[in-house]
PDB file of all heavy atoms in Angstrom:
ATOM      1  N   GLY A  25      -0.661  24.619 -25.015  1.00  0.00           N
ATOM      2  CA  GLY A  25      -0.273  24.123 -26.365  1.00  0.00           C
ATOM      3  C   GLY A  25      -1.410  23.971 -27.272  1.00  0.00           C
ATOM      4  O   GLY A  25      -1.423  24.335 -28.377  1.00  0.00           O
ATOM      5  N   LEU A  63       7.077  31.207 -27.532  1.00  0.00           N
ATOM      6  CA  LEU A  63       5.968  30.370 -27.076  1.00  0.00           C
ATOM      7  C   LEU A  63       6.386  29.704 -25.753  1.00  0.00           C
ATOM      8  O   LEU A  63       7.081  28.712 -25.752  1.00  0.00           O
ATOM      9  CB  LEU A  63       5.597  29.333 -28.133  1.00  0.00           C
ATOM     10  CG  LEU A  63       5.154  29.834 -29.496  1.00  0.00           C
ATOM     11  CD1 LEU A  63       5.052  28.685 -30.450  1.00  0.00           C
ATOM     12  CD2 LEU A  63       3.839  30.549 -29.350  1.00  0.00           C
ATOM     13  N   PRO A  83       7.601  23.415 -43.282  1.00  0.00           N
ATOM     14  CA  PRO A  83       8.737  22.487 -43.573  1.00  0.00           C
ATOM     15  C   PRO A  83       8.993  21.567 -42.367  1.00  0.00           C
ATOM     16  O   PRO A  83       8.875  21.982 -41.160  1.00  0.00           O
ATOM     17  CB  PRO A  83       9.877  23.432 -43.767  1.00  0.00           C
ATOM     18  CG  PRO A  83       9.337  24.705 -44.150  1.00  0.00           C
ATOM     19  CD  PRO A  83       8.053  24.793 -43.448  1.00  0.00           C
ATOM     20  N   ILE A 100      10.198  31.011 -19.902  1.00  0.00           N
ATOM     21  CA  ILE A 100       9.955  30.353 -18.648  1.00  0.00           C
ATOM     22  C   ILE A 100      11.146  29.468 -18.208  1.00  0.00           C
ATOM     23  O   ILE A 100      11.582  29.522 -17.066  1.00  0.00           O
ATOM     24  CB  ILE A 100       8.656  29.641 -18.610  1.00  0.00           C
ATOM     25  CG1 ILE A 100       7.478  30.593 -18.804  1.00  0.00           C
ATOM     26  CG2 ILE A 100       8.441  28.826 -17.339  1.00  0.00           C
ATOM     27  CD1 ILE A 100       6.080  30.017 -18.833  1.00  0.00           C
ATOM     28  N   THR A 105      15.989  28.273 -15.063  1.00  0.00           N
ATOM     29  CA  THR A 105      17.379  27.773 -15.034  1.00  0.00           C
ATOM     30  C   THR A 105      18.290  28.861 -14.369  1.00  0.00           C
ATOM     31  O   THR A 105      19.139  28.487 -13.514  1.00  0.00           O
ATOM     32  CB  THR A 105      17.911  27.490 -16.449  1.00  0.00           C
ATOM     33  OG1 THR A 105      16.981  26.591 -17.058  1.00  0.00           O
ATOM     34  CG2 THR A 105      19.315  26.948 -16.341  1.00  0.00           C
ATOM     35  N   GLU A 139       8.647  11.130 -45.782  1.00  0.00           N
ATOM     36  CA  GLU A 139       7.531  11.509 -44.856  1.00  0.00           C
ATOM     37  C   GLU A 139       6.676  10.293 -44.554  1.00  0.00           C
ATOM     38  O   GLU A 139       6.074  10.220 -43.503  1.00  0.00           O
ATOM     39  CB  GLU A 139       6.738  12.616 -45.510  1.00  0.00           C
ATOM     40  CG  GLU A 139       7.400  13.969 -45.547  1.00  0.00           C
ATOM     41  CD  GLU A 139       6.497  15.096 -46.045  1.00  0.00           C
ATOM     42  OE1 GLU A 139       5.207  14.888 -45.984  1.00  0.00           O
ATOM     43  OE2 GLU A 139       6.987  16.149 -46.336  1.00  0.00           O
ATOM     44  N   SER A 158       1.207  19.237 -57.436  1.00  0.00           N
ATOM     45  CA  SER A 158       2.448  18.973 -58.224  1.00  0.00           C
ATOM     46  C   SER A 158       3.399  18.093 -57.337  1.00  0.00           C
ATOM     47  O   SER A 158       4.304  17.504 -57.888  1.00  0.00           O
ATOM     48  CB  SER A 158       3.145  20.262 -58.612  1.00  0.00           C
ATOM     49  OG  SER A 158       3.410  21.093 -57.447  1.00  0.00           O
ATOM     50  N   LEU A 163      -4.300  10.441 -55.221  1.00  0.00           N
ATOM     51  CA  LEU A 163      -4.328   9.088 -54.589  1.00  0.00           C
ATOM     52  C   LEU A 163      -3.577   9.091 -53.304  1.00  0.00           C
ATOM     53  O   LEU A 163      -3.914   8.392 -52.287  1.00  0.00           O
ATOM     54  CB  LEU A 163      -3.709   8.041 -55.528  1.00  0.00           C
ATOM     55  CG  LEU A 163      -4.595   7.773 -56.744  1.00  0.00           C
ATOM     56  CD1 LEU A 163      -3.828   6.762 -57.662  1.00  0.00           C
ATOM     57  CD2 LEU A 163      -5.961   7.315 -56.430  1.00  0.00           C
ATOM     58  N   PRO A 179       2.064  25.772 -51.139  1.00  0.00           N
ATOM     59  CA  PRO A 179       1.242  24.918 -50.323  1.00  0.00           C
ATOM     60  C   PRO A 179      -0.221  25.509 -50.257  1.00  0.00           C
ATOM     61  O   PRO A 179      -0.453  26.677 -50.149  1.00  0.00           O
ATOM     62  CB  PRO A 179       1.887  24.938 -48.953  1.00  0.00           C
ATOM     63  CG  PRO A 179       3.307  25.376 -49.265  1.00  0.00           C
ATOM     64  CD  PRO A 179       3.235  26.283 -50.450  1.00  0.00           C
ATOM     65  N   LEU A 186     -12.084  28.321 -39.813  1.00  0.00           N
ATOM     66  CA  LEU A 186     -13.027  27.608 -38.961  1.00  0.00           C
ATOM     67  C   LEU A 186     -13.912  28.558 -38.195  1.00  0.00           C
ATOM     68  O   LEU A 186     -13.448  29.642 -37.706  1.00  0.00           O
ATOM     69  CB  LEU A 186     -12.362  26.623 -38.065  1.00  0.00           C
ATOM     70  CG  LEU A 186     -11.626  25.486 -38.714  1.00  0.00           C
ATOM     71  CD1 LEU A 186     -10.919  24.682 -37.610  1.00  0.00           C
ATOM     72  CD2 LEU A 186     -12.548  24.558 -39.467  1.00  0.00           C
ATOM     73  N   LEU A 203      -4.680  14.134 -23.865  1.00  0.00           N
ATOM     74  CA  LEU A 203      -4.738  13.970 -22.429  1.00  0.00           C
ATOM     75  C   LEU A 203      -4.705  12.454 -22.132  1.00  0.00           C
ATOM     76  O   LEU A 203      -4.125  12.052 -21.133  1.00  0.00           O
ATOM     77  CB  LEU A 203      -6.034  14.538 -21.906  1.00  0.00           C
ATOM     78  CG  LEU A 203      -6.326  14.394 -20.404  1.00  0.00           C
ATOM     79  CD1 LEU A 203      -5.208  14.999 -19.614  1.00  0.00           C
ATOM     80  CD2 LEU A 203      -7.708  14.929 -20.005  1.00  0.00           C
ATOM     81  N   VAL A 252      10.353  23.221 -14.623  1.00  0.00           N
ATOM     82  CA  VAL A 252      10.675  23.161 -13.181  1.00  0.00           C
ATOM     83  C   VAL A 252      11.861  22.137 -13.023  1.00  0.00           C
ATOM     84  O   VAL A 252      12.274  21.943 -11.838  1.00  0.00           O
ATOM     85  CB  VAL A 252       9.527  22.754 -12.356  1.00  0.00           C
ATOM     86  CG1 VAL A 252       8.423  23.830 -12.402  1.00  0.00           C
ATOM     87  CG2 VAL A 252       8.935  21.417 -12.851  1.00  0.00           C
ATOM     88  N   LYS A 282       7.027  10.298 -20.195  1.00  0.00           N
ATOM     89  CA  LYS A 282       5.742  11.065 -20.328  1.00  0.00           C
ATOM     90  C   LYS A 282       5.445  11.381 -21.770  1.00  0.00           C
ATOM     91  O   LYS A 282       4.336  11.479 -22.167  1.00  0.00           O
ATOM     92  CB  LYS A 282       5.875  12.337 -19.475  1.00  0.00           C
ATOM     93  CG  LYS A 282       4.577  13.193 -19.437  1.00  0.00           C
ATOM     94  CD  LYS A 282       4.723  14.375 -18.427  1.00  0.00           C
ATOM     95  CE  LYS A 282       5.586  15.479 -18.921  1.00  0.00           C
ATOM     96  NZ  LYS A 282       7.055  15.484 -18.714  1.00  0.00           N
TER      97      LYS A 282
END
Side-chain angles (χ1 to χ4, degrees):
L63 299 173
I100 292 179
T105 304
E139 289 189 16
S158 58
L163 292 178
L186 293 175
L203 178 61
V252 296
K282 183 173 78 271

